[in-house]
Amino acid sequence: MKEYIAIVLLLLFSQAVQSQQKGTVLIKNGTVLTITKGTMEATDVLIKDGVISKIGKGLSTPKGAQTIDATGMYVMPGIIDAHSHIALDAVNEATSPVTAEVWTGDAINPLDVSIYRALAGGVTISHALHGSANAIGGQSETIKHRYGTVDPDALRMKEAPRTIKFALGENPTRVHGGGNGIVPRTRMGVEAVFRSSFSEARQYMKAWDEYNAGKSKKGYKGTAPQYDLRLETLADILKGDIIVHCHSYRADEIYMLMQVCKDFGIKKLVFQHVNEGFKVAPELAEFGAMASVFSDWWAYKFEVYYSTAYNATILHKNGVVTSINSDSGELIRHLYHEAAKTQKYGGLSDNDALSMITINPAKQLGIESRVGSIEEGKDGDIAIFKNHPLSIYTIPMMTIVDGVVEFDRENDPDDMRIYVDPKETIDVTLHGTGHAGDRCMQDAEFLFHE
Amino acid sequence: MTGSKLVFMRRALLLLFPALSYLTSLGQSSELAPVTRTYAIKNARIVQAPGRIIDNGVLVIKNGIITAVGKNIEIPAEARIIKADTMYVYAGFIDGLSHTGVPKPKEEENKVKDPGNPPNDIAGIEPQRDVRNMLDPNDKSVDEMRRLGFAVSHVVPHGRMLPGQGAIILHAGESPDAMVYKQQASLFSQLTGAPGIYPNTVIGVMAKYRELYRQAEQAKAYKARYIQDATGMERPSSDRVLEAFYPVIDKQIPVVFKAEDVLSIQRVIDLKSQLGFNLMLAEIKQGWDISEKLKNSGAKLFLSLDLPEMKEEKSMPDTTKTTDKNVELKADKDPEKQRLQARKDETIKKHYQQPALLQSQGVEFGFSTFEAKPRDIKGNLSKLIENGLSEDAALSALTTTPARLLGLSSTMGTLDIGKIANLVITDKSYFDKESKVKYVFVDGKIFEYKDEPVPKKNGETVRVTGKWTYNTETPQGVHTGDIVINGEEGDYSGTISSTISGDTNDLSNISVDGDQLSFSFTVVIEGNAVLVEVIVTVEEGSFEGTMTAGDYGSYPIEGERSPEK
C-alpha cells in the first residue's frame, strides 16, 4: 500500500514540475464531430506536438505516439466554458465600482482540483472571469486546463485576446449603493459610471497624445499626465484591444449598454447570462453582440424572474452567436447536458446544440482560429464520449489538451489534488459548497448588510 | 497595586537606573558584569565557518571585535576568561526576515468614507516608514531570538502591502539607534490586501503595485528633467510614497517580499520580471517544485523556519482524548482516510526536505523566522538535518549565506579576525537536539544563559479563567472585544463580545488541553445561525490561533489577558 502511494506521488510530482507540454497522439476509428466540417464516421484524428495535423481514415501511428482506440465512441472538440470562476484565488476586487486595472490572470490557481473535475466533463478551456460586484470589474484570463502543473503561467492561453468583465443591475447597485452608499445605487447610476469612466479615459488619451506629440520638440516644457493603470485599461477598451464581457439580465440594461458602446465606438461586446436577451435578440444581432447564457437557471434574485429555457434557441435563430456556460464548478462538469437542453427547448440540431459549447464560446473569447472545432492546424483539444455527447446516456471517457491526455476515465485516481494542506483535518465527509458553487460574488459578501 | 500603578513604578525605576534595568532585562545573571570589554574563550571547538574547525582553540574579543582566533593564542591580562571546554563556538546566526524587536501595533478601527479611495496609511501603503522608528530594544522577541543564537536580524515594520523600509539590527543595544547596523536596507512588500478597502484582494494588490512602481519611475524621470532645466516647467509635486521607491528603481536597495506558498512566490517573481527591481524572497515555505524558477529569478532567497507540525513516530498507539474511541478507531481503519493521511504526511515531509532538496540543486538560501515561533526554531533546525540537510549546509544558511545575501560579509558570518564579535556557544553541537545555548555574544556584549525556560509539564493545563481582549481580522475589518471565562476545569462558562456588532454571545464547549483552549459560539450572519469555532494556544498571558466561521472561512485570532483589577 505504502509503495503504491509513493509511486502515485512520484507520478504526480514528476508531472507537477513539467510545465506546458505538447503531446502526440492518434485517436483511431471514432465518430468525429468536427462541428464546422460535418460528422465523419470511422475516422482517425492525429495530433502531433499538440496540434491536429491530420484527419482521415487509416492513418498510421507516428513513432512513439500513443494510440487511442475510439471505435464506437464520439470524438468532439474540447468543450469551452465562456463563464467560469474556477482556478482563481480571487474573483472580485469589490472595493470600488470601477477596477479595470485588476486582472484575474494574477490570481490563477493551477492547484484547484476543480480543473480536473472540469476535465472529467470534457472541458478543455474556461474563461476565468472576474466577478460581477463592480460595474467595470477586472480583466479576465482564458485558461487551458493543463492540470498537473504548479505554474500559473502554464495555464494562461497566450493566444487569447484580452477580455474584461462588466456588470449591470443588482450586483453593482447592491454592493456599492447598498453596501457603501456610493454611486451606483440604481441602474441609471450604473450607466453613469460607464459614461464617466470612458469620458475620463478619452481625456487621458488626449492628454497623452498631446504630450507625446510635443515631447520630441526642442525645449519642450510640458508635463505628461500621471500614469494611471485604470485609465490605461479603459483606453485599451476604447481602442478595441479588449473584448467586453458583461453580466446582465434585463432587456432594458442590455439595450442601454449597447447604446453606451455605440456612443464610445466599442464594438467587441459579449453579454453574460442575458436572461432577457430573447426580448432584444434582433438588436443584439444588429450590433454584433454575442450572448453566453444559462440553459435553464433563473429566479435566484428579483431581476432574473422573467426567463425562459428557449432563450438560447431564440437568440441563435435571430443570428446571435450564443454559447451556454456554467458559472459554476459543478455545472462545468456536464455542459454537454446543458447544451442538450436546447434540443428539448427549441429543437436545435445536434450540430447547433454542440456549437453552443465549442465554436461559439471560442468566438466569444476571440480564439476560434485555434480551438472550438476539429480541423487540421487547430490545437489538439479533444473530448471523447461513449454514446453521443447530447444523449442522456453519454459518458465522458477521455479529455485531451494540446495532445496530452489530461483525463482518462479508465485511469482515474481518487485523490487528484496536486498539493494537500498540511494543516487539513482528514475529514471524509462532503462539505456544502454554499450557493450551488456559484462564485460570481465571491470576495464581495462582506458588503451585504442586513 | 493596580496594573497601571505598577507600570508607572517600573517606568520610574527605568528612569532612575537605566543600567540596572538593562541588566535585569537580560534576566540571566544576578551578579554585576565585569568592567572589561575583553574576553577570551578557551579550549573550545571553534567552528570559524562551515567546514573550518579549530579544536581546543582560543578566541579573543576586544571592544566588540574578534582580535585573535587559533590554537596558541596569548590571552590578554584584562580578559574575562570563558572556560568553554568541550563547548562549540559558532558565528552568531543571521535571520533573513522578521519583526524581531518590532512590537505589533494595536489595530485601530478605521471607518473609510469611500472604500475605493482610502487614505494610503489605511490601505497599507506606507513605504516611506522606517522600521527604526518602531524598534524597542526591550521587546521580548529580541531576547527570544538571541537565546537561540541569533545575533542579527533583517527586520521590517508590521503592515500590509507596503509596510515600510527594513533595517539590519543587532540583538543588543540600549536604544533603537544602538541596535541598527544598516538602515534603509530594503523596501518591505507583501501581497496582503486591506480588509474591506482597496486594494483588498491579491489582484488589487498586484495592480496597485504595478501602478505605484510606474508612477514612481515617471515622477523620478520628471524630477531629473526639472533639475536640468526648471524654468517654465511645472513644479514636480512631492510624494513620499513614490519617493520611497526611488532607491529601489536605482537598484540601491532590494524589495524584500514575503511570499510563502508556491503561487505567491511565482506571483512575486512575475512582478519582479515585469518591473525589474532587485528581489529578496523571504519566508518561502513551498518552493520544492519551482527550484529552477527560483534559481533563474535572480532573487535572494530565505526559507521559512516556520514548518508544519510533524508528528513524531510513536510506537505506542495514540491515546488522544476522544469523545468516542470506537468511531475514531473505525475511521483510522478506513483505507480512504489512510490514503489521505499518507498524502498529508508526505506534504508535511516535503516542507522538511525542502532545504536539502534545494541545496542539492545548487539553490542558495538563508533562513527567515518571520512566522516561526521561537520555541520551535531549534527543534525545526534539527528536523531539517534529520531530513537530509547537512550540518554544514544548515550552518551556512544561518551564517555565511545570509551574510552574503544581505551584504554583511565583511563584518559578519564567520569567526575571523576583524569581524564583529557575534558568537553563539553551545555545550554540544548546536544541531544536536539535546544541546543548550550557554553564551551568546552580540556586538561584543556577553549574554549568559544558565536557566532554561522551564518547559510545561505534560498534562498540566494553562489557566484560562479571567478576562481577555482579542482581535481578529475578517474581510469585514478588524473585530475586537472581550472574552470572559469563569469556572474551573471541566465546568467552564464564558462570554465573547464584539465591538463591531455590539453583541455579547455565550461560549459553549469550552475545553482546555495542555496549552490549547477551544470554545465555540453562535452568531447570526445574513439571517443564518453560524457556529464559530475557536482554537487557540495560550502562552504567558497571550494567545493566538484560528477562528472558523462555517463556510465563511477561517481567520487568525489573537489576544491577551486584561490586567487584573
Side-chain angles (χ1 to χ4, degrees):
Chain A
M1 188 68 228
K2 266 225 163 93
E3 273 177 6
Y4 164 77
I5 290 167
I7 289 165
V8 170
L9 279 172
L10 268 176
L11 283 171
L12 273 177
F13 281 101
S14 59
Q15 211 184 3
V17 290
Q18 289 163 359
S19 60
Q20 224 171 302
Q21 300 166 283
K22 307 275 187 200
T24 297
V25 63
L26 180 66
I27 304 160
K28 285 192 77 73
N29 209 32
T31 301
V32 180
L33 310 167
T34 68
I35 307 299
T36 48
K37 308 265 190 222
T39 298
M40 302 154 101
E41 303 286 342
T43 299
D44 302 348
V45 178
L46 173 64
I47 302 168
K48 217 170 158 183
D49 298 328
V51 176
I52 299 169
S53 72
K54 214 157 173 50
I55 304 164
K57 290 191 192 288
L59 303 182
S60 55
T61 317
K63 226 175 143 167
Q66 186 187 353
T67 306
I68 295 162
D69 182 8
T71 306
M73 308 231 193
Y74 292 84
V75 179
M76 72 172 282
I79 295 169
I80 299 170
D81 187 353
H83 189 133
S84 153
H85 306 292
I86 65 165
L88 288 180
D89 278 347
V91 176
N92 277 292
E93 174 63 41
T95 49
S96 170
V98 182
T99 55
E101 68 283 6
V102 308
W103 177 46
T104 62
D106 280 334
I108 299 286
N109 179 355
L111 310 175
D112 186 356
V113 75
S114 303
I115 302 168
Y116 184 71
R117 293 179 185 145
L119 284 161
V123 183
T124 53
I125 288 178
S126 61
H127 187 202
L129 271 166
H130 188 277
S132 50
N134 311 340
I136 299 182
Q139 297 162 79
S140 304
E141 180 64 87
T142 301
I143 58 172
K144 278 216 167 191
H145 293 170
R146 300 169 177 129
Y147 193 60
T149 174
V150 302
D151 182 357
D153 196 48
L155 268 63
R156 295 181 187 131
M157 188 173 176
K158 301 282 194 303
E159 311 86 342
R162 293 165 70 192
T163 64
I164 192 163
K165 179 75 174 289
F166 284 16
L168 308 173
E170 286 173 19
N171 284 6
T173 57
R174 277 186 305 164
V175 170
H176 303 289
N180 287 320
I182 53 174
V183 174
R185 184 73 209 233
T186 61
R187 285 185 156 74
M188 295 184 291
V190 176
E191 178 175 2
V193 168
F194 291 132
R195 290 188 180 274
S196 60
S197 298
F198 288 135
S199 303
E200 211 181 327
R202 271 185 176 170
Q203 288 174 349
Y204 180 76
M205 285 159 81
K206 192 162 157 274
W208 269 105
D209 288 344
E210 281 167 10
Y211 170 76
N212 286 326
K215 72 175 180 193
S216 52
K217 293 193 185 99
K218 204 171 175 312
Y220 180 67
K221 297 282 188 184
T223 317
Q226 186 175 46
Y227 176 88
D228 185 312
L229 193 52
R230 188 171 294 173
L231 293 171
E232 292 277 335
T233 312
L234 292 167
D236 289 343
I237 298 171
L238 294 175
K239 290 176 196 156
D241 296 343
I242 306 179
I243 305 171
V244 174
H245 283 255
C246 187
H247 163 108
S248 60
Y249 296 109
R250 274 175 34 175
D252 55 354
E253 66 187 7
I254 293 164
Y255 193 74
M256 174 274 284
L257 186 65
M258 288 195 280
Q259 295 312 308
V260 171
C261 286
K262 271 182 195 154
D263 291 351
F264 287 93
I266 298 163
K267 293 189 175 58
K268 295 177 180 168
L269 181 57
V270 181
F271 285 96
Q272 294 286 340
H273 311 316
V274 220
N275 286 54
E276 290 186 16
F278 62 94
K279 295 183 179 180
V280 285
E283 289 79 0
L284 285 162
E286 187 197 8
F287 184 95
M290 307 187 208
S292 184
V293 304
F294 290 132
S295 58
D296 59 354
W297 191 28
W298 65 79
Y300 42 85
K301 59 184 149 189
F302 194 71
E303 60 185 348
V304 204
Y305 270 77
Y306 202 124
S307 291
T308 167
Y310 287 87
N311 195 23
T313 304
I314 296 168
L315 286 162
H316 174 76
K317 299 269 190 203
N318 276 279
V320 179
V321 173
T322 304
S323 69
I324 288 180
N325 69 49
S326 80
D327 192 6
S328 142
E330 193 283 323
L331 268 183
I332 198 169
R333 286 186 291 155
H334 46 92
L335 277 167
Y336 44 90
H337 283 338
E338 300 303 297
K341 289 174 185 172
T342 59
Q343 301 193 289
K344 176 167 174 58
Y345 301 105
L348 286 189
S349 69
D350 285 358
N351 216 59
D352 284 351
L354 287 175
S355 297
M356 300 254 166
I357 52 173
T358 53
I359 193 71
N360 290 3
K363 286 175 183 165
Q364 294 173 346
L365 302 179
I367 51 178
E368 72 274 22
S369 67
R370 301 269 1 116
V371 290
S373 63
I374 298 183
E375 294 178 55
E376 287 174 9
K378 280 199 170 183
D379 291 3
D381 294 3
I382 302 285
I384 302 174
F385 287 83
K386 189 171 158 183
N387 302 323
H388 194 285
L390 294 168
S391 155
I392 196 67
Y393 297 108
T394 194
I395 302 170
M397 297 304 291
M398 207 176 250
T399 308
I400 298 166
V401 180
D402 297 327
V404 177
V405 177
E406 292 282 1
F407 166 75
D408 176 1
R409 198 179 173 80
E410 300 295 305
N411 175 25
D412 171 32
D414 284 348
D415 184 358
M416 278 302 291
R417 293 171 304 165
I418 298 172
Y419 276 28
V420 299
D421 178 0
K423 290 198 174 73
E424 75 179 359
T425 49
I426 305 288
D427 180 356
V428 284
T429 55
L430 279 173
H431 290 284
T433 51
H435 315 274
D438 164 26
R439 295 177 64 195
C440 237
M441 295 299 279
Q442 184 184 311
D443 314 322
E445 293 93 341
F446 65 91
L447 287 160
F448 297 128
H449 299 300
E450 288 299 295
Chain B
M1 251 206 251
T2 62
S4 60
K5 252 201 184 135
L6 265 175
V7 169
F8 177 74
M9 283 296 292
R10 262 199 62 198
R11 286 227 180 100
L13 280 171
L14 286 181
L15 289 171
L16 282 171
F17 307 110
L20 186 70
S21 69
Y22 173 66
L23 277 176
T24 50
S25 72
L26 304 181
Q28 63 270 328
S29 161
S30 51
E31 54 197 287
L32 281 178
V35 288
T36 180
R37 288 186 67 206
T38 306
Y39 297 89
I41 294 144
K42 262 179 70 173
N43 293 345
R45 187 175 164 86
I46 299 169
V47 185
Q48 286 188 279
R52 270 204 289 138
I53 300 170
I54 302 168
D55 265 321
N56 283 324
V58 174
L59 187 143
V60 180
I61 296 168
K62 245 189 182 150
N63 301 335
I65 308 284
I66 299 171
T67 53
V69 59
K71 272 230 177 273
N72 303 312
I73 305 282
E74 197 172 318
I75 292 177
E78 76 275 20
R80 177 180 162 188
I81 293 172
I82 309 285
K83 293 198 183 86
D85 302 63
T86 73
M87 292 192 189
Y88 284 64
V89 187
Y90 305 91
F93 301 155
I94 300 168
D95 161 28
L97 190 76
S98 66
H99 289 313
T100 304
V102 189
K104 196 178 165 87
K106 280 266 173 288
E107 278 286 356
E108 282 161 35
E109 259 304 310
N110 291 306
K111 282 277 173 274
V112 178
K113 229 196 170 107
D114 176 359
N117 287 304
N120 275 331
D121 58 327
I122 298 175
I125 300 169
E126 303 174 287
Q128 74 282 4
R129 295 197 309 171
D130 187 334
V131 73
R132 284 180 295 171
N133 301 326
M134 307 160 200
L135 283 174
D136 175 2
N138 299 319
D139 191 69
K140 73 175 171 116
S141 59
V142 178
D143 181 55
E144 284 172 337
M145 287 297 286
R146 197 169 48 213
R147 255 170 208 281
L148 293 164
F150 284 87
V152 176
S153 280
H154 175 200
V155 296
V156 289
H158 291 270
R160 295 197 175 98
M161 174 181 164
L162 283 157
Q165 296 158 18
I168 309 290
I169 63 158
L170 291 150
H171 296 165
E174 290 164 54
S175 69
D177 279 348
M179 301 170 83
V180 173
Y181 179 77
K182 185 177 173 185
Q183 74 260 28
Q184 287 166 327
S186 60
L187 183 70
F188 181 42
S189 307
Q190 307 177 97
L191 295 176
T192 310
I197 54 174
Y198 187 89
N200 168 236
T201 58
V202 68
I203 54 179
V205 169
M206 286 182 72
K208 186 69 186 175
Y209 207 95
R210 289 185 189 107
E211 180 174 85
L212 284 169
Y213 200 89
R214 293 189 180 131
Q215 285 177 343
E217 285 176 325
Q218 186 187 26
K220 190 167 171 289
Y222 186 73
K223 198 166 180 178
R225 257 182 65 204
Y226 185 79
I227 288 166
Q228 292 275 306
D229 181 15
T231 315
M233 281 176 75
E234 266 187 63
R235 177 178 70 82
S237 57
S238 164
D239 184 328
R240 63 188 68 182
V241 168
L242 298 185
E243 283 155 18
F245 281 93
Y246 291 2
V248 171
I249 294 167
D250 281 338
K251 304 273 170 89
Q252 289 162 350
I253 63 168
V255 172
V256 60
F257 243 110
K258 171 171 169 263
E260 298 176 36
D261 62 275
V262 66
L263 300 177
S264 299
I265 295 165
Q266 294 179 90
R267 284 169 190 149
V268 171
I269 291 174
D270 269 356
L271 278 181
K272 173 200 166 36
S273 60
Q274 286 155 10
L275 302 174
F277 48 78
N278 287 342
L279 174 64
M280 251 179 218
L281 269 172
E283 208 56 12
I284 295 170
K285 290 180 182 173
Q286 293 183 331
W288 54 81
D289 280 329
I290 50 170
S291 54
E292 275 309 299
K293 213 174 194 175
L294 287 170
K295 225 194 304 198
N296 299 336
S297 72
K300 293 168 173 167
L301 310 175
F302 294 94
L303 309 185
S304 176
L305 284 177
D306 175 29
L307 295 155
E309 203 180 337
M310 185 150 63
K311 288 268 186 300
E312 299 287 325
E313 293 289 324
K314 284 198 187 85
S315 50
M316 292 286 288
D318 200 1
T319 49
T320 44
K321 270 197 268 183
T322 81
T323 43
D324 190 342
K325 270 238 170 62
N326 295 338
V327 173
E328 189 82 351
L329 287 169
K330 246 216 310 262
D332 282 348
K333 286 213 173 66
D334 175 350
E336 184 180 9
K337 197 165 176 178
Q338 282 177 343
R339 284 197 297 273
L340 292 172
Q341 186 63 46
R343 280 214 65 190
K344 183 182 161 182
D345 293 344
E346 189 63 29
T347 300
I348 291 170
K349 206 156 175 63
K350 275 184 182 296
H351 285 80
Y352 285 87
Q353 292 167 334
Q354 169 165 278
L357 178 81
L358 294 182
Q359 174 76 23
S360 71
Q361 291 169 332
V363 180
E364 269 210 322
F365 57 85
F367 289 122
S368 62
T369 67
F370 199 98
E371 293 202 339
K373 291 194 175 66
R375 59 174 177 191
D376 295 339
I377 288 175
K378 198 162 170 300
N380 283 351
L381 282 164
S382 297
K383 280 188 197 151
L384 294 181
I385 284 160
E386 283 166 28
N387 282 282
L389 187 68
S390 69
E391 287 198 12
D392 274 359
L395 188 59
S396 301
L398 289 165
T399 55
T400 49
T401 309
R404 193 166 51 253
L405 298 181
L406 295 167
L408 310 169
S409 290
S410 60
T411 54
M412 296 180 197
T414 65
L415 298 180
D416 286 306
I417 292 171
K419 296 248 168 146
I420 293 176
N422 291 337
L423 282 63
V424 50
I425 303 177
T426 51
D427 58 353
K428 298 186 177 66
S429 161
Y430 183 89
F431 302 105
D432 186 319
K433 268 204 175 98
E434 305 295 308
S435 72
K436 290 188 173 59
V437 173
K438 291 296 190 185
Y439 300 91
V440 173
F441 282 82
V442 179
D443 208 16
K445 296 186 185 73
I446 185 169
F447 298 89
E448 196 170 341
Y449 295 104
K450 283 181 180 153
D451 43 2
E452 289 270 300
V454 183
K456 252 191 285 299
K457 282 196 213 76
N458 255 347
E460 194 181 313
T461 53
V462 293
R463 188 172 69 92
V464 297
T465 48
K467 189 172 172 188
W468 303 78
T469 54
Y470 74 92
N471 72 69
T472 177
E473 197 174 285
T474 71
Q476 294 132 315
V478 179
H479 284 266
T480 57
D482 292 332
I483 296 170
V484 180
I485 297 177
N486 301 314
E488 53 191 44
E489 201 172 341
D491 183 27
Y492 289 114
S493 63
T495 57
I496 183 165
S497 67
S498 164
T499 48
I500 282 198
S501 64
D503 297 341
T504 298
N505 292 294
D506 286 336
L507 304 181
S508 49
N509 305 326
I510 305 173
S511 79
V512 184
D513 180 10
D515 56 357
Q516 296 264 315
L517 161 68
S518 60
F519 57 82
S520 54
F521 59 97
T522 307
V523 292
V524 177
I525 305 179
E526 294 170 10
N528 305 318
V530 175
L531 184 72
V532 181
E533 291 166 312
V534 179
I535 299 177
V536 296
T537 306
V538 182
E539 202 185 355
E540 292 170 27
S542 69
F543 66 73
E544 57 176 54
T546 25
M547 179 175 93
T548 306
D551 282 347
Y552 292 87
S554 292
Y555 309 102
I557 180 167
E558 54 185 32
E560 49 192 37
R561 192 178 278 285
S562 304
E564 313 257 338
K565 291 277 182 309

